[in-house]
C-alpha cells in the first residue's frame, strides 16, 4: 500500500486548528515545532552540521506525527493483529495479519527513518551511523503518535547490537544485512523471548532446554509466555543447555530464526496472541518450541549477562518512549487550555488549572533532559570511555524506573484536563494512557529495576563515577568550572550559586543513602532512594542545560525547572503549607516563553536561598 492509498481515519476529517470549536482538537499539529524545549536542546547536544542535515527530516515529520501517523495509530489500535494457523487450502502455515495502518507506520519507522538501523549503518543520507542521541530523539518523537510499533523497532536495533557484540562472524554475516535493511521487503525484524510462566523477573528459573545437535546448531524445547513481535524473523532467546547448572549461570543465549537456511519453517508455533490493555497494534503472543533450531550466541552460561546488554538497550528505549508520551500528554493539555473557555475565561488563565499544567510539564521536562543526557553519556561509553560506561550502567535503570512510572500519572492527568472527551477513544488521550501502563512492566518491573540501581551502584561500582560526573556538572552550574566548549556558560555563577550548593548537599546525602542500601536490611527503601536519585540527576541535567542555553540565547527556563525539581520533589514537603510559584513565571514555562536571567535568579533565591 502506498502512502497515497493509506487508510484514513475519521480524525482526518476534523477542522484545521485555526478554526473555532467547542471541543479543541489538535489534529494536524506539528509536534516538532510545538516542542520548544526540543528545539532549544538540539543545538546543545548535536553537532551543527548534523543538526542542519536533520532539519528538513524533522520539518516533514512534525506535521505527520500530529496528523496521518496519529490516524494510523488509532486505526491500528482498534484493529489489532490476527493470528492465522492455516492457509485457506488447509495447509499448516502460521502468519499474523496486521492492519494496513500498522504497515504504514512500519514504513515510516523502518523505511523513511531507519530507526532500527541508524546506530549500525548510514541512513537518512548521512555518511555514517547516527549518534545515540539522534536515534533516541526519533523514538521520543515517534512515541507521540505510536508507541506499540517502537517495541519491534527497538528490539531489532538491540538484537543487532547484541549480535554484533557477542555473535560469531558467520551469524553476523548471515543476518546483519537484512537486520539493517531499510526496505520492508528485505527487512529482518528482531525480538527477544525471555519470559516463561514460572520465570518472569526470576530468569534463572527458565525451563526451556537446549540440546546440542553437534553441527553448530542447537534444538530448543519449551514455552515462552510473553513474546512481543511474536512473528519476528529472528529472535534472541534464553535456554538452558542440557546438563547445565541450575540458576542464572546455567542459561545460554541463542539466536532463533523463523525460517531455516534451507527455506523450511522452524519447529515452533505461536500458540495464541495476547489480549492486552495497550500496545494493541503490535502482536504479542505465546510461543511453543518443539526442537526448534537455534544458534548459540557467545559463551554457554553467559546468556543472561549477554542478554542484559540487549535488555539495557531496550530499557533506555522504553524510558525515552515514556518521556515522549509525557510530552504528547502535556502538549495536548496545553492546547486544550489555550483554546477552551470556561465561565468566560480561558483555562490557561485559571490559577488552579495553570498549576495542574505545571505538574504535567515538570515530569515531562525531567524525562526529556534525562533522555538526552543519558544518550550523551551513551555515546561516550560506546567510544570507549570507561567512566562514561559506569555512569551509563546506573543511569539506565534510574531513567527506566521513573519515566515509565511518571508517564502513567501524566497521561492520566492529561486525560482529565480534556474531561469527558479525553476519556473516549476518538481522541488519543485514552490510547496514550493505556500504552503508558506498559513501560513499568516490560524489561523489569519497578521493584526489579530499583534493585538494579543498587546493583549497579555496588556490584558494578557505578555510584562514585556517577556522583563524580554530577559534581562536574554542578560545578559548571555554580560557575566553579567553565567548560572549554562553552566558557560563557558560567556567567551567572553568583545568581545560581544557591542552586549549585543545594545540589551539592543533596548529592552528599544521596551518596550516603545509597551506600547504606548495600545492606540487605535496607532493601525496602530502594525505590524511595532510587526515585530521589532520578530527581537529583534530572535537576542537575536541567540546570546544566539551563546555564548553557541561557548563555547562548538568554532563556534560563530550564534553570527554573531544575529549582522546581529540588523544591517540589527533593526537599521535605508540608502538605498544609502554601507553596505558591509565581503565576507569570508558571505561565511562561507552560507556554515555553523565554525566562530571563533575573527572573530565574529571583526564583532560585526565593525557593532555595532561604526564602521558603
Amino acid at each position: 500500500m502506498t502512502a497515497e492509498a493509506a487508510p484514513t481515519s475519521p480524525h482526518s476529517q476534523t477542522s484545521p486548528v485555526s478554526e473555532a470549536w467547542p471541543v479543541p482538537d489538535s489534529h494536524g499539529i506539528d509536534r516538532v515545532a510545538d516542542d520548544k524545549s526540543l528545539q532549544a536542546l538540539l543545538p546543545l547536544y548535536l553537532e551543527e552540521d548534523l543538526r542542519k542535515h536533520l532539519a528538513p527530516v524533522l520539518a516533514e515529520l512534525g506535521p505527520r506525527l500530529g496528523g496521518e501517523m496519529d490516524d494510523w495509530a488509532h486505526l491500528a489500535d482498534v484493529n489489532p493483529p490476527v493470528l492465522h494457523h492455516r492457509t485457506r487450502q488447509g495447509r499448516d502455515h502460521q502468519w499474523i495479519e496486521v492492519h494496513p495502518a500498522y504497515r504504514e507506520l512500519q514504513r515510516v519507522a523502518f523505511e523513511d527513518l531507519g530507526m532500527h538501523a541508524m546506530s549500525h549503518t548510514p541512513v537518512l543520507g548521512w555518511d555514517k551511523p547516527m549518534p545515540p542521541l539522534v536515534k533516541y530523539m526519533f523514538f521520543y518523537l515517534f512515541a507521540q503518535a505510536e508507541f506499540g510499533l517502537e517495541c519491534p523497532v527497538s528490539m531489532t536495533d538491540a538484537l543487532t547490537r547484541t549480535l554484533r557484540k557477542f555473535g560469531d562472524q558467520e551469524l553476523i554475516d548471515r543476518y546483519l544485512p537484512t537486520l539493517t535493511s531499510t526496505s520492508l521487503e528485505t527487512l529482518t525484524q528482531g525480538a527477544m523471548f525471555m519470559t516463561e510462566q514460572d520465570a518472569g523477573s526470576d530468569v534463572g528459573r527458565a525451563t526451556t532446554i537446549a540440546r546440542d545437535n553437534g553441527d553448530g546448531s542447537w534444538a530448543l524445547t519449551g514455552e515462552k509466555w510473553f513474546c512481543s513481535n511474536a512473528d519476528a524473523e529472528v529472535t534472541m532467546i534464553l535456554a538452558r543447555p542440557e546438563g547445565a547448572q541450575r540458576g542464572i549461570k546455567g542459561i545460554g543465549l541463542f539466536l532463533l530464526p523463523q525460517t531455516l537456511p534451507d527455506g523450511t519453517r522452524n519447529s515452533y508455533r505461536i500458540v495464541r496472541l495476547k489480549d492486552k490493555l495497550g500496545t494493541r497494534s503490535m502482536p504479542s503472543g505465546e510461543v511453543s518450541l518443539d526442537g526448534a533450531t537455534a544458534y548459540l550466541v557467545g559463551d554457554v552460561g553467559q546468556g543472561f549477562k549477554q542478554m542484559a546488554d540487549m535488555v539495557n538497550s531496550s530499557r533506555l528505549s522504553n524510558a525515552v518512549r515514556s518521556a515522549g508520551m509525557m510530552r504528547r500528554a502535556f502538549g495536548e493539555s496545553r492546547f486544550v487550555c489555550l483554546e477552551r473557555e470556561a465561565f468566560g475565561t480561558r483555562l490557561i488563565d485559571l490559577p488552579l488549572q495553570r498549576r495542574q499544567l505545571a505538574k504535567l510539564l515538570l515530569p515531562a521536562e525531567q524525562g526529556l533532559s534525562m533522555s538526552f543526557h543519558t544518550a550523551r553519556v551513551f555515546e561516550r561509553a560506546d567510544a570507549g570511555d570507561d567512566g562514561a560506561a559506569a555512569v551509563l550502567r546506573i543511569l539506565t535503570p534510574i531513567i527506566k524506573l521513573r519515566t515509565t512510572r511518571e508517564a502513567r500519572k501524566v497521561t492520566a492527568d492529561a486525560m482529565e484536563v480534556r474531561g469527558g472527551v479525553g476519556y473516549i477513544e476518538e481522541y488519543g488521550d485514552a490510547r496514550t494512557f493505556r500504552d503508558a501502563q506498559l513501560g513499568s512492566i516490560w524489561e523489569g518491573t519497578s521493584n526489579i529495576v530499583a534493585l538494579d540501581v543498587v546493583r549497579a551502584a555496588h556490584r558494578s561500582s557505578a555510584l562514585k563515577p556517577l556522583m563524580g560526573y554530577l559534581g562536574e556538572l554542578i560545578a559548571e552550574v555554580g560557575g566553579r568550572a567553565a567548560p572549554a566548549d562553552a566558557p560563557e556558560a558560567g556567567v551567572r555563577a553568583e545568581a545560581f550559586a544557591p542552586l549549585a550548593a543545594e545540589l551539592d548537599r543533596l548529592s552528599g546525602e544521596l551518596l550516603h543513602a545509597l551506600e547504606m542500601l548495600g545492606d540487605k536490611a535496607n532493601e525496602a527503601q530502594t525505590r524511595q532512594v532510587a526515585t530521589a536519585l532520578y530527581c537529583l540527576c534530572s535537576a542537575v541535567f536541567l540546570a546544566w542545560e539551563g546555564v548553557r542555553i541561557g548563555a547562548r540565547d538568554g532563556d534560563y527556563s530550564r534553570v527554573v525547572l531544575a529549582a522546581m525539581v529540588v523544591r517540589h520533589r527533593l526537599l521535605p514537603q508540608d502538605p498544609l503549607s502554601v507553596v505558591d510559584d509565581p503565576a507569570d513565571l508558571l505561565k511562561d514555562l507552560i507556554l515555553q516563553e523565554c525566562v530571563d536571567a533575573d527572573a530565574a535568579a529571583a526564583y532560585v533565591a526565593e525557593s532555595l536561598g532561604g526564602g521558603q
Side-chain angles (χ1 to χ4, degrees):
M1 176 175 289
T2 64
E4 289 75 21
T8 60
S9 160
H11 297 75
S12 60
Q13 307 304 315
T14 55
S15 301
V17 295
S18 58
E19 292 185 10
W21 47 56
V23 179
D25 187 347
S26 66
H27 184 272
I29 194 169
D30 184 334
R31 297 207 182 277
V32 173
D34 188 57
D35 190 345
K36 293 182 181 178
S37 293
L38 176 67
Q39 305 300 328
L41 288 175
L42 287 180
L44 180 60
Y45 284 101
L46 279 185
E47 296 290 341
E48 181 68 10
D49 55 346
L50 179 54
R51 186 173 65 86
K52 288 183 177 179
H53 180 82
L54 292 172
V57 179
L58 293 173
E60 180 185 4
L61 180 63
R64 298 185 77 188
L65 289 166
E68 62 180 0
M69 290 175 63
D70 197 45
D71 291 340
W72 294 336
H74 172 75
L75 287 170
D77 181 75
V78 298
N79 296 279
V82 177
L83 173 63
H84 298 278
H85 294 282
R86 290 191 166 196
T87 67
R88 65 180 183 179
Q89 295 90 1
R91 293 179 180 175
D92 188 14
H93 176 74
Q94 286 194 314
W95 81 99
I96 294 176
E97 179 186 1
V98 296
H99 191 270
Y102 188 75
R103 293 289 289 177
E104 290 302 324
L105 290 165
Q106 286 181 318
R107 205 172 302 282
V108 176
F110 289 112
E111 291 190 344
D112 296 352
L113 300 176
M115 291 165 59
H116 67 298
M118 60 176 52
S119 291
H120 312 286
T121 191
V123 299
L124 296 174
W126 196 241
D127 61 358
K128 55 187 175 182
M130 297 287 184
L133 185 125
V134 174
K135 175 177 66 179
Y136 291 117
M137 174 190 68
F138 280 117
F139 272 98
Y140 169 81
L141 289 169
F142 200 96
Q144 295 179 45
E146 161 67 7
F147 179 82
L149 174 61
E150 287 195 296
C151 177
V153 176
S154 174
M155 289 194 296
T156 303
D157 166 54
L159 183 147
T160 303
R161 174 185 171 88
T162 302
L163 179 62
R164 293 177 65 190
K165 192 170 182 178
F166 301 110
D168 62 42
Q169 195 59 47
E170 182 182 354
L171 282 179
I172 295 172
D173 292 342
R174 185 188 305 173
Y175 292 108
L176 186 63
T178 54
L179 281 167
T180 57
S181 171
T182 53
S183 167
L184 288 182
E185 303 307 315
T186 57
L187 170 68
T188 291
Q189 290 190 40
M192 60 179 178
F193 296 172
M194 295 175 58
T195 306
E196 299 183 9
Q197 285 179 296
D198 197 34
S201 298
D202 189 358
V203 177
R205 295 171 65 97
T207 60
T208 298
I209 295 298
R211 186 185 70 252
D212 191 347
N213 290 330
D215 60 359
S217 70
W218 295 68
L220 273 53
T221 301
E223 294 195 354
K224 295 296 181 179
W225 182 245
F226 209 111
C227 306
S228 289
N229 206 21
D231 60 341
E233 286 84 2
V234 291
T235 299
M236 286 292 186
I237 186 168
L238 295 176
R240 191 183 310 280
E242 283 185 323
Q245 68 185 90
R246 299 179 63 182
I248 204 165
K249 292 183 179 179
I251 298 291
L253 178 63
F254 298 86
L255 187 73
L256 176 77
Q258 183 186 97
T259 304
L260 298 175
D262 63 5
T264 60
R265 178 82 177 212
N266 208 344
S267 300
Y268 70 88
R269 293 185 61 80
I270 304 169
V271 178
R272 64 171 177 170
L273 297 185
K274 301 289 192 181
D275 185 8
K276 298 173 293 182
L277 171 68
T279 63
R280 289 178 170 271
S281 62
M282 184 269 297
S284 299
E286 300 165 22
V287 170
S288 178
L289 304 113
D290 183 17
T293 299
Y295 304 94
L296 182 67
V297 176
D299 299 326
V300 175
Q302 294 294 306
F304 182 75
K305 184 177 180 181
Q306 292 161 178
M307 177 69 98
D309 188 78
M310 185 172 177
V311 170
N312 282 333
S313 181
S314 295
R315 279 180 175 177
L316 182 51
S317 168
N318 200 335
V320 173
R321 286 177 265 158
S322 294
M325 286 193 289
M326 283 194 281
R327 171 64 214 185
R328 174 182 174 144
F330 165 73
E332 289 288 320
S333 297
R334 182 182 64 185
F335 183 88
V336 169
C337 290
L338 285 169
E339 299 294 333
R340 186 168 175 81
E341 291 186 358
F343 311 109
T345 305
R346 286 192 314 168
L347 298 186
I348 191 70
D349 296 320
L350 297 171
L352 181 57
Q353 185 63 73
R354 194 162 52 234
R355 182 176 175 83
Q356 299 311 301
L357 281 179
K359 289 184 176 183
L360 303 182
L361 171 68
L362 190 59
E365 295 290 357
Q366 285 180 271
L368 175 58
S369 289
M370 286 292 292
S371 298
F372 272 32
H373 208 93
T374 303
R376 177 180 187 255
V377 174
F378 196 139
E379 183 174 8
R380 294 181 178 183
D382 262 8
D385 185 329
D386 291 340
V391 173
L392 180 66
R393 171 66 184 90
I394 192 168
L395 277 181
T396 300
I398 291 170
I399 185 175
K400 197 275 185 186
L401 170 68
R402 284 315 314 174
T403 56
T404 58
R405 294 191 64 79
E406 302 282 3
R408 290 161 52 174
K409 178 170 173 51
V410 169
T411 55
D413 289 351
M415 189 163 51
E416 184 179 345
V417 171
R418 190 167 248 137
V421 175
Y423 189 69
I424 63 176
E425 294 286 353
E426 289 177 320
Y427 288 76
D429 306 82
R431 170 167 51 86
T432 304
F433 168 75
R434 287 189 286 104
D435 286 350
Q437 308 309 304
L438 163 71
S440 62
I441 299 173
W442 284 5
E443 285 94 38
T445 60
S446 298
N447 284 356
I448 294 298
V449 177
L451 290 169
D452 195 40
V453 173
V454 178
R455 188 178 302 111
H458 296 286
R459 292 187 194 175
S460 301
S461 302
L463 181 56
K464 289 186 178 179
L466 173 65
M467 289 305 184
Y469 180 65
L470 294 179
E472 293 173 7
L473 301 181
I474 293 169
E476 290 185 29
V477 173
R480 301 193 301 273
D485 59 336
E488 72 280 6
V491 296
R492 301 302 305 181
E494 182 178 348
F496 301 138
L499 176 57
E502 191 62 23
L503 291 171
D504 261 335
R505 184 186 69 80
L506 290 167
S507 295
E509 290 190 1
L510 265 172
L511 177 61
H512 175 70
L514 277 158
E515 288 174 340
M516 294 293 291
L517 284 181
D519 182 353
K520 186 79 171 178
N522 297 315
E523 184 178 288
Q525 280 72 50
T526 299
R527 284 173 61 158
Q528 179 183 353
V529 175
T531 295
L533 186 57
Y534 172 85
C535 290
L536 173 67
C537 290
S538 60
V540 172
F541 298 159
L542 281 163
W544 177 83
E545 293 164 349
V547 296
R548 287 187 166 219
I549 294 172
R552 185 188 72 212
D553 58 23
D555 182 11
Y556 288 87
S557 58
R558 300 191 84 72
V559 174
V560 175
L561 290 168
M564 285 182 168
V565 172
V566 174
R567 183 183 195 184
H568 295 290
R569 308 202 66 181
L570 282 168
L571 295 181
Q573 302 292 313
D574 179 356
L576 298 181
S577 68
V578 177
V579 180
D580 187 21
D581 293 313
D584 291 340
L585 186 61
L586 278 186
K587 192 169 184 179
D588 285 342
L589 291 173
I590 292 166
L591 298 180
Q592 296 188 315
E593 302 290 347
C594 180
V595 175
D596 64 30
D598 290 338
Y603 181 82
V604 167
E606 187 277 331
S607 59
L608 305 179
Q612 184 167 322

